Amino acid sequence: MPQIQCLPSHVADLIAAGEVVERPASVAKELLENAIDAGATAIVVELERGGLTYLRITDNGCGIAPEELPTAFLRHATSKLRTADDLAAIGTLGFRGEALAAISAVSRIDVFTRRKGADSGAVLHLEGGVPGEVTETGCPEGTTICVRDLFYNTPARMKFMKKDSAEGAAVSGIVQHLALSHPDISFKMIRDGAEVLHTPGDGKLLSAIYAAMGRDFAMGLLPVKGCGGEVEVQGFVTKPLHGHGTRARQVFFVNGRFVKSQLLQAALEEAYRNRLLKGKFPGCVVHITLPKDMVDVNVHPAKTVVKFVSDKAVFDAFYYTVRDALDGENKPEAPAPRQESFYQTMTAQQFKEKTAPAPEVKKPLGSYTARPAAPMKPAIPAKPAALAFHDVAPQKDQPFTATVPDRSGREMTYHITPPAAVEEKPAQTAVELPAEPAPVAEPVQQQLEAQAAPWRMVGEVLRTYIICEDEADNVWLIDKHAAHERIRFDALKADDHPLMSQMLLAPLTVTLAAEEAAAVLENLETLHRFGFVCEDFGDGTVLVREVPADIRTGDAASTLEELAQKLLLGRIDPEGVRDELYHTMACKSAIKAGMVSNEKELAALVGKVQSGEIKYCPHGRPVAVKLSKYEVEKMFKRA
Ligand code: ADP
Ligand code: MG
């Protein structure tokens, strides 16, 4: 056995570095968190070759005093923690005092820094963790750290690196998450010379989402805000019609930290149950805030796992907040009441009155009209304003240039444009976003008149779509089958009693696949609840004696077959099967497209849609389409 020896410190550092510095993205994360901890309001990230050859982060934070600069790169050197007690109350992102030491151990670093208000700054070059001399220099207030040739002295680690594009994408992911958790900080990322992300830092989450995740995603979102006990939930979720093909756009933050959580994912998707098309997933950017003692942060700081003390409290708070927001979506906009008969039966006089130009009507207090969606302006400020740097470069916007020799005597030239601070950004660069709908107090007058229907049914076309208009001059097309199906579905779910059944004069024989027949016979009781009374007739044939009262007898066999298929699937997912069975029953018992319906039936459907009670059929298809007067006029080029 060889002798036991203490490792030389640089070897120990290399090992420790492996824990913190896995890849360029982990370097970016540590440096960005330092910039945030330093109080920066604007941060620029620049990288080349996925961050392996060049990764530079410039902030306008507090800077580091020249005499403290070498200390910052020592292991366990931190300004954020003094005593063990501090550890419990930690508010900053980094606190172990390891990152700079670990990163510098496996790269070449140049750091420029200047304290706020200081006359000059300082620059330091380090190679493999060994610092050179600190020299005085002019530079912008804040800190620029440039990490070059990552893993140049640890070829083994280098081998684990993925393609540049994958490493660059991982850095983008880190920047995106930090931008979304700090909407008050402007983040800019420049990858191989091209700007790929720039958030305005105006403090609005939606602005950050728009800039970091794109216009389409941002426009398809709905605000959510709520709490359950001490768990607060705030952010944005996908509108049901804007479901995504994958879960990639589900972004959760817990107490400001990006986390991956199956619990939160499950709560989100449960809230969308029966509102999304099959195979579609909701997206979200949501911040969950809860007391520090309700969440276990004692996990590896580089990992994104999180453990809640009470899973149920978090699940419920999140689930109900999202569900309430989805329920409240798209309520008709405070129309005044009006009730007229179905199928236009106006007299000539009424017609004349109706077609006379409308007098100016004052909106009742508290009503709000739909604004045509204003096109959003890009979130990117037209031109970033520069910070002042008194002694060095008096003019704004002037980049700072410095040349730093490395140990082999090669010179590295830097051009640093100070990141734009928020307060210096021109006001008009703020993103214009649709106002979050504020809860509007219903005017008393409206409450009183609520009994009379505030809409008029015009008629039905294609034996499928009901046309109606409301008092806010919106034109509605309502899919009668989808609307009725939803109503049936909700009623079935709400009602605990078995469905009424009708006995058939002559029992029906339904021949099914052997597996399906077996599923039917295993679930006779469930089927009875849905109004079917069946018996085994041998050889995959089932004898049906009673069928649900509200489905057509002619549909009984196909309904049973569909139920059997779903029961089969239920062997895999017993939870989901109940809703699936309800779907079938709702669909089969609903008014069908193409069928003749009477006025009362249709009016009842319109009433439900207009009250905002139903919006999507159980499969997530829309029940109604609303065209504002503005949209109609636009079609005719009047607006
Ligand atoms: P930690 O963040 O855990 O304290 P680091 O090794 O990341 O440890 O940083 C060491 C110290 O260097 C920090 O505590 C902080 O005082 C200082 N520092 C690092 N980066 C910056 C920065 N961008 N601006 C100001 N100070 C910084
Ligand atoms: Mg740190």
Side-chain angles (χ1 to χ4, degrees), residues 254 259-261 264 295-297 299 304-308 311:
V254 171
V259 299
K260 291 202 174 116
S261 161
L264 294 175
V295 50
D296 186 5
V297 290
V299 284
T304 51
V305 284
V306 64
K307 221 174 151 309
F308 300 110
D311 279 352

Side-chain angles (χ1 to χ4, degrees), residues 29-35 37 77-78 80 93-100 103:
K29 179 165 185 280
E30 294 291 340
L31 298 182
L32 284 166
E33 290 187 344
N34 280 349
D37 285 346
T78 175
K80 299 164 193 172
L93 295 170
F95 52 83
R96 298 177 310 151
E98 280 186 356
L100 291 187
I103 296 164

Side-chain angles (χ1 to χ4, degrees), residues 55 60 129 142 153 178 197 204 249 264 451 460 509 596:
L55 174 66
N60 64 353
N153 54 353
L178 286 170
L197 175 147
K204 294 192 185 119
R249 283 164 176 263
L264 294 175
Q451 274 92 338
E460 187 191 4
T509 49
V596 181

Side-chain angles (χ1 to χ4, degrees), residues 45-191:
V45 182
E46 291 154 277
L47 67 155
E48 281 165 23
R49 287 212 42 211
L52 278 164
T53 54
Y54 190 94
L55 174 66
R56 187 170 87 163
I57 293 184
T58 302
D59 68 58
N60 64 353
C62 65
I64 306 171
E67 61 277 15
E68 289 179 2
L69 197 44
T71 320
F73 287 87
L74 296 178
R75 273 199 88 188
H76 305 305
T78 175
S79 58
K80 299 164 193 172
L81 197 65
R82 291 278 175 265
T83 66
D85 287 346
D86 293 348
L87 198 55
I90 197 80
T92 48
L93 295 170
F95 52 83
R96 298 177 310 151
E98 280 186 356
L100 291 187
I103 296 164
S104 67
V106 290
S107 65
R108 298 188 173 95
I109 288 188
D110 288 309
V111 48
F112 297 84
T113 184
R114 181 169 141 215
R115 304 276 292 176
K116 281 236 156 76
D119 288 340
S120 62
V123 56
L124 174 66
H125 176 79
L126 298 101
E127 235 170 287
V130 182
E133 288 288 308
V134 175
T135 38
E136 192 179 355
T137 177
C139 64
E141 286 178 347
T143 305
T144 296
I145 297 194
C146 183
V147 178
R148 287 185 290 125
D149 307 327
L150 190 61
F151 304 130
Y152 79 99
N153 54 353
T154 53
R157 168 66 59 177
M158 194 66 193
K159 281 204 197 101
F160 287 112
M161 290 304 110
K162 302 209 172 88
K163 282 202 188 111
D164 293 352
S165 55
E167 295 303 333
V171 176
S172 290
I174 295 289
V175 176
Q176 191 185 59
H177 294 152
L178 286 170
L180 292 173
S181 55
H182 297 85
D184 47 339
I185 301 176
S186 165
F187 285 83
K188 176 149 89 172
M189 176 162 162
I190 298 167
R191 194 167 150 186

